[in-house]
Amino acid sequence: MNQQNPLLADWAAPFEVPPFDAIKPEHFGPAFDRAFADHLREIDAIAADPEAPSFDNTIAALERGGKLLANVGSVFFALVGAHSNDALLEIEREIMPRLAAHSNRINMNGPLYARIMALHERRASLGLGAEQARVLDRYRIKFQRAGAGADETGRKRLAAIGERLAALGTQFSQNVLADEQSWALVLDRDDDLAGLPDHVRASAAEAASERGHAGKHAITLSRSSVEPFLQTSRRRDLREKVFRAFVARGDNRGRTDNQPIIAEMVKLRAERAKLLGYQTFAHYRLDDAMAKTPQAARGLLERVWAPARKRALADRDAMQELIRAEGGNFTLAAWDWRYYAEKLRKQQCDVDDAEIEPYLDLENMIAAAFDTAHRLFGLEFRRLDGIPVWHPDVRVWDVRGADGRHVGLFFGDYFARASKRSGAWMSTLRDQEKLAGDIRPLVFNVMNFSKPRDGQATLISFEDARTLFHEFGHALHGLLSDVTYPMIAGTNVETDFVELPSQLYEHWLETPEVLRKFARHHANGEPMPETLIAKLKAARTFGQAFKTVEFTASALVDLDFHSQATVDDLDPAAFEAATLKRIGMPDEIAMRHRSTHFGHVFAGDHYAAGYYSYMWSEVLDADAFDAFEETGNVFDPATAQRLRDDIYAAGGSREPDDAYKAFRGKLPSVDALLRKRGFDKVAAV
Ligand SMILES: [Zn+2]
């Protein structure tokens, strides 16, 4: 039977890429069964080893185990995120609690925990290298945080909580997906298109035909469809419709209602934290992050909130003035913000997106991201055909180093489709490691850019180009990884450190060096005029107040949910509203992610009480880019080499503080971030 299940056969494609062309949903059930069983057998053998525990027979053995599960799981999650269907979603609902139960069986295994702790006690005399010492410590922390040290009753309850949270998180993200799939605004009449530039019309035409309305235009609930519409549509009534649907995702009552799911998840997380000896879930979560305490994370957010809010209110008043000057007899609402902000930008900075976007061709922006990696790290990207992929739109590149050595494969999946989750992300089909030989990584990026009609250029906004660089920065973190042990490879680092390589990479997009070369007019290849480049640079901080407010509000709501010591009868909508009221959220700005579609926080545990991480990492990335600018060369080779060695290649082999200090010589202050966002000159409030 294994011969018939491609997931269980040897992967014979070049670079041992998973055989996506042969994999069907029905293969996953038996493959997961076998992968769980194999892994448990490996774990039991390690736990029951009659030999005294050694680093090799315990820690390295754990690191060598679970290969089939890692392979099957990474293929499954690639598909369920980027190209799902009902059969895969059904399997996901079944498999997530089983995966949680499986991790619990390992991480709460008493004899195994005893071996790890015995090693940890003798760690000074084991003759471990720095990376090995770090991996041993990570195992100790992982087991303790899972509850391996709790008593029998506690372990049972923690296991049940983990499984229930996994089921709830899956349901949460499937509800958002269902709400996104079931809604589209079909634009029937010419008048419905008022204000929309050509490329927005083109992608709306593509979205309509994908949804069975060929010849018409449609706006969907993916961010890359919604935001350009809100920014350019002259139809205030339609902007309101789209905006209301966008912020109501997961909040539509009925079958896809995420309110009760949030209430139960927050309650269970608080209980879990308490069982593990923490005051709140936020304390538990941040204990294993760079920030260390909720107070530290909150302190940063509040430091930035005050000047951002002040600046946003001034922008609001300026826009209201614009409306009045135009003869508008209404108060600026949240669905008006992007539209009038664009007008205000035109007025204050003399730039508008319509002028910029013809120069931002997706193909050129991909080339720009690759070229930046070439100039910083010597990487070369060669397009490969004939590699199995999960959808015909996916492209593959062979990545090579300056010495010609194969570094890994990079998969790019750029276009939105109904079978894809919204958002943008990086993940891997295989991580780099050296324990099982010289294993090269298979890394992918998923985006949701609107697909143009056949033969037309894909023009993207500057924000989209920034997202492309962001996710590619994560991809480089995976590709350049140079460690021995899988548990600390690539992006397996603290959540508030993991956004450093991605957000730092965005800085290069904004440099004249990159724009001159790659921002070329899609029709005639002319470079972006120098005057426009200069204006773009001058307009850098425009809109930062809005972005900071929408982000920080989401981050504070997340922290507040998870800073409750006890949770009873939580009403998530009322709770969210109370936080927004407390911080003085302007009515005209919506949270970047309202709770009911806040996948970072509720579609799994990854960013729960951790959404602040983006800003935490930004303190680092703003300061890290200064390191380049201080040399007078944004591609300074010596700085790039340190960046590669200490950050991109180092994975989780060091404490993040130590890794950063190795790169920069010191930890950053918040000043570079305030300067980057243009808040350094906002008077204290
Ligand atoms: Zn990121």
Side-chain angles (χ1 to χ4, degrees):
M1 178 190 134
N2 295 355
Q3 276 66 31
Q4 279 112 51
N5 190 333
L7 286 165
L8 297 172
D10 284 339
W11 293 351
F15 306 100
E16 291 174 67
V17 168
F20 286 107
D21 40 358
I23 294 169
K24 300 208 161 50
E26 59 267 29
H27 294 136
F28 283 104
F32 271 117
D33 289 345
R34 170 77 181 277
F36 284 136
D38 280 9
H39 195 201
L40 283 181
R41 210 167 24 247
E42 290 162 353
I43 295 294
D44 289 343
I46 299 167
D49 191 336
E51 298 275 316
S54 68
F55 183 86
D56 188 68
N57 75 17
T58 304
I59 302 298
L62 283 166
E63 286 286 273
R64 283 189 291 263
K67 283 285 181 278
L68 181 62
L69 184 57
N71 281 341
V72 174
S74 59
V75 172
F76 179 74
F77 291 114
L79 287 174
V80 91
H83 195 37
S84 68
N85 53 43
D86 287 345
L88 287 171
L89 293 174
E90 167 80 42
I91 296 166
E92 189 193 25
R93 287 192 293 275
E94 191 241 337
I95 215 70
M96 292 307 288
R98 284 182 65 196
L99 267 170
H102 181 74
S103 312
N104 283 331
R105 281 182 73 170
I106 297 167
N107 300 335
M108 293 185 195
N109 181 314
L112 192 52
Y113 179 58
R115 292 179 78 90
I116 292 168
M117 289 311 285
L119 286 169
H120 185 254
E121 258 137 51
R122 296 192 285 117
R123 63 191 178 283
S125 61
L126 295 173
L128 301 179
E131 191 183 323
Q132 292 174 319
R134 170 85 173 155
V135 172
L136 169 57
D137 201 39
R138 293 306 305 163
Y139 268 100
R140 173 189 65 86
I141 291 168
K142 185 176 164 188
F143 274 63
Q144 285 177 342
R145 288 177 60 80
D151 62 20
E152 172 81 26
T153 326
R155 285 207 305 269
K156 272 207 176 115
R157 182 61 192 147
L158 284 165
I161 289 172
E163 285 167 50
R164 180 67 186 150
L165 280 171
L168 290 167
T170 306
Q171 193 58 56
F172 182 95
S173 76
Q174 294 197 2
N175 286 345
V176 176
L177 183 66
D179 277 4
E180 287 174 352
Q181 285 176 336
S182 66
W183 193 93
L185 176 71
V186 178
L187 307 173
D188 273 324
R189 299 175 311 133
D190 264 5
D191 185 43
D192 295 343
L193 306 175
L196 306 185
D198 286 348
H199 71 277
V200 175
R201 290 178 187 220
S203 43
E206 180 71 23
S209 80
E210 201 204 350
R211 283 162 190 258
H213 304 282
K216 294 182 179 171
H217 295 80
I219 302 304
T220 71
L221 291 184
S222 92
R223 193 175 281 277
S224 66
S225 181
V226 168
E227 289 186 351
F229 184 80
L230 292 179
Q231 187 176 314
T232 58
S233 172
R234 281 208 286 268
R235 285 284 299 274
R236 189 162 192 253
D237 59 330
L238 298 183
R239 290 203 306 266
E240 179 175 356
K241 252 188 199 165
V242 169
F243 175 86
R244 285 190 185 280
F246 191 57
V247 299
R249 288 170 296 148
D251 195 14
N252 293 308
R253 304 293 171 253
R255 211 174 42 80
T256 60
D257 189 5
N258 274 337
Q259 299 273 4
I261 293 181
I262 293 169
E264 191 179 347
M265 288 183 85
V266 172
K267 186 177 168 68
L268 288 173
R269 283 172 177 164
E271 186 188 349
R272 173 156 84 182
K274 197 143 283 175
L275 284 167
L276 291 165
Y278 292 88
Q279 203 181 328
T280 69
F281 181 80
H283 287 86
Y284 164 71
R285 179 66 184 70
L286 295 184
D287 189 36
D288 193 33
M290 211 174 160
K292 296 280 180 271
T293 65
Q295 292 80 355
R298 193 179 286 280
L300 172 62
L301 293 169
E302 285 173 353
R303 173 79 184 81
V304 180
W305 172 258
R309 178 173 178 275
K310 190 176 178 192
R311 171 77 52 88
L313 293 176
D315 285 349
R316 177 197 64 187
D317 296 345
M319 287 189 270
Q320 188 63 59
E321 193 45 48
L322 259 177
I323 292 170
R324 208 167 297 137
E326 282 180 350
N329 184 25
F330 58 89
T331 307
L332 182 89
W335 46 90
D336 300 318
W337 190 288
R338 286 188 164 80
Y339 182 75
Y340 285 98
E342 189 58 16
K343 288 192 172 206
L344 191 63
R345 185 163 73 134
K346 215 177 289 188
Q347 192 187 66
Q348 291 184 350
C349 318
D350 192 27
V351 284
D352 70 303
D353 271 359
E355 207 183 341
I356 300 163
E357 281 174 20
Y359 294 95
L360 301 178
D361 183 329
L362 172 63
E363 301 308 316
N364 289 340
M365 292 300 108
I366 294 170
F370 289 173
D371 188 64
T372 300
H374 177 71
R375 293 175 75 173
L376 289 170
F377 307 124
L379 299 180
E380 306 267 5
F381 296 79
R382 194 165 52 88
R383 182 78 187 269
L384 287 180
D385 290 318
I387 304 288
V389 291
W390 53 91
H391 185 277
D393 283 348
V394 181
R395 316 177 208 179
V396 186
W397 286 270
D398 180 14
V399 186
R400 291 186 180 265
D403 53 4
R405 212 172 71 100
H406 172 66
V407 168
L409 290 188
F410 175 66
F411 296 67
D413 182 1
Y414 296 107
F415 297 122
R417 54 180 167 264
S419 63
K420 197 188 266 189
R421 286 202 172 125
S422 56
W425 62 93
M426 164 276 185
S427 190
T428 60
L429 296 166
R430 192 164 64 221
D431 284 343
Q432 180 271 336
E433 61 153 302
K434 292 183 225 168
L435 199 57
D438 184 15
I439 305 299
R440 306 315 309 169
L442 306 175
V443 176
F444 63 91
N445 275 172
V446 181
M447 312 278 154
N448 267 290
F449 301 143
S450 296
K451 195 175 179 176
R453 272 183 290 224
D454 275 348
Q456 291 192 351
T458 308
L459 299 181
I460 61 178
S461 67
F462 205 76
E463 275 313 299
D464 282 346
R466 192 193 300 282
T467 302
L468 181 92
F469 268 64
H470 178 102
E471 297 307 332
F472 193 69
H474 282 310
L476 289 172
H477 201 189
L479 286 163
L480 291 171
S481 176
D482 186 20
V483 299
T484 300
Y485 297 92
M487 89 144 5
I488 51 161
T491 56
N492 295 318
V493 299
E494 282 77 355
T495 316
D496 49 8
F497 186 70
V498 78
E499 300 301 331
L500 166 61
S502 53
Q503 292 180 168
L504 175 59
Y505 209 70
E506 296 173 30
H507 288 262
W508 279 282
L509 168 66
E510 295 184 338
T511 61
E513 287 86 342
V514 170
L515 290 174
R516 273 185 202 123
K517 197 163 163 190
F518 293 97
R520 291 180 171 273
H521 198 280
H522 70 97
N524 56 25
E526 292 286 331
M528 186 181 272
E530 287 295 324
T531 49
L532 188 52
I533 291 180
K535 280 193 283 184
L536 254 182
K537 193 171 178 206
R540 253 191 113 241
T541 58
F542 184 89
Q544 284 297 328
F546 171 79
K547 277 173 135 180
T548 308
V549 165
E550 62 163 10
F551 169 86
T552 308
S554 285
L556 285 168
V557 167
D558 167 35
L559 268 184
D560 281 358
F561 268 129
H562 298 107
S563 297
Q564 304 175 87
T566 48
V567 181
D568 280 305
D569 299 324
L570 177 69
D571 176 345
F575 189 90
E576 179 183 289
T579 291
L580 296 179
K581 183 156 185 254
R582 177 176 60 79
I583 63 177
M585 181 73 166
D587 291 339
E588 302 81 1
I589 299 180
M591 296 165 72
R592 179 147 183 95
H593 309 278
R594 283 199 53 231
S595 311
T596 53
H597 44 260
F598 205 168
H600 291 82
V601 174
F602 296 113
D605 271 353
H606 202 54
Y607 281 85
Y611 192 62
Y612 77 93
S613 295
Y614 292 91
M615 191 165 282
W616 192 273
S617 288
E618 192 178 327
V619 173
L620 304 173
D621 79 65
D623 179 69
F625 196 68
D626 277 358
F628 283 90
E629 292 200 308
E630 284 161 14
T631 69
N633 174 7
V634 295
F635 295 102
D636 178 62
T639 312
Q641 186 65 47
R642 282 203 313 278
L643 182 65
R644 178 180 185 148
D645 294 346
D646 298 323
I647 308 289
Y648 283 85
S653 60
R654 284 190 245 185
E655 287 284 340
D657 281 13
D658 296 339
Y660 193 81
K661 277 190 272 188
F663 164 66
R664 187 64 164 135
K666 60 177 171 56
L667 285 174
S669 76
V670 75
D671 297 350
L673 173 137
L674 292 173
R675 205 166 359 98
K676 179 183 164 191
R677 296 210 167 205
F679 301 149
D680 48 333
K681 294 185 186 71
V682 179
V685 276

